[in-house]
Amino acid sequence: MVLLAVMQANSAVLDVKANCAAVGEAAREASAAGAQLLLTPELFPVGYAPLRLRAALDPTTLPALREVLAGIARRHNIALVYSLPAVTPAGEWHISATLVDASGHELLNYDKVHLFGPEERAAFSPAAAAPGVVEFHGLKTALAICYDIEFPESARAAAVRGAELLLVPTALAGGFDAVPQVLVRARALENQLTVAYANHTGSGEGCDFRGGSIVAGPDGTVLAVAGPGTELLFAELGGIVDAVTDRAHDADDAVDYLRDRRPDLYRSWGI
């Protein structure tokens, strides 16, 4: 059994010290409650403001910031998913997510494939690599970021690579409630994996974040859901995953979407 913590909070754009302090406090509280993993929102340590980040964030500070976040994981003995800008050797800026273990060692990195809106597309470049999968406390785990989860292909790519848990840092503004309430649950159900979705709250830089972070189980049930304000969610993982897996072994009792899909046919349809 894995106890997952999901951080929902307000970050201050380019106030790295305050944002990291907030992550540290959430990590302390989550670890004290017995959680093995803390998921944080998209770009939380630097704040979500794509154009300001591109104009004012010095990319040479990012390695030290990554070490600060790894240090939080070590200090509180909890694995951590954080999201930061990442700059390629060719100079392209991506929105990234990283999973570090409780010793601060990087287990998995992912760069956002689907960029949302004109500001993200002006400040960042879309990545192309499919989600990777690693073993974490007995669960095969993958990453996606925000808008990625609104495309069936992203979660399906993780699922066909064996993912059982998909961790999604996000920065979802108000007015898109169907994403956590409908799409996240649908992605979990249609791919028979758990999806955890961590959002910002509060206002800033023209964005009005309204929380609604959620953890949806592989049968589409809501394991935990947040309101609009600052909150630390907890969800137990493992039992429901095992239950769905057991049912999938009984062909007379389970709907197995991954088994029953027909990718060769879909390709002939041009999708």
Side-chain angles (χ1 to χ4, degrees), residues 88-105:
T88 71
E92 288 188 329
W93 286 53
H94 295 302
I95 299 176
S96 74
T98 299
L99 168 63
V100 298
D101 66 15
S103 298
H105 296 130

Side-chain angles (χ1 to χ4, degrees), residues 112-204:
K112 190 174 184 178
V113 171
H114 302 93
L115 299 179
F116 180 81
E119 290 198 5
E120 277 195 14
R121 289 191 286 269
F124 297 100
S125 297
V133 178
V134 295
E135 187 96 3
F136 177 80
H137 284 262
L139 290 173
K140 294 178 181 177
T141 302
L143 300 170
I145 301 173
C146 196
Y147 196 35
D148 288 326
I149 201 64
E150 300 180 42
F151 293 83
E153 294 84 358
S154 294
R156 179 55 52 86
V160 298
R161 287 164 174 78
E164 299 165 294
L165 173 62
L166 183 60
L167 302 169
V168 188
T170 195
L172 183 75
F176 298 94
D177 294 346
V179 176
Q181 294 174 9
V182 178
L183 293 184
V184 168
R185 294 181 65 185
R187 298 294 168 261
L189 173 62
E190 68 196 6
N191 293 293
Q192 296 177 315
L193 47 66
T194 297
V195 180
Y197 184 85
N199 196 19
H200 293 251
T201 186
S203 299

Side-chain angles (χ1 to χ4, degrees), residues 27-50:
R28 183 200 64 76
E29 184 178 344
S31 182
Q36 290 85 29
L37 173 62
L38 173 65
L39 172 63
T40 66
E42 181 181 13
L43 294 174
F44 189 91
V46 293
Y48 182 84

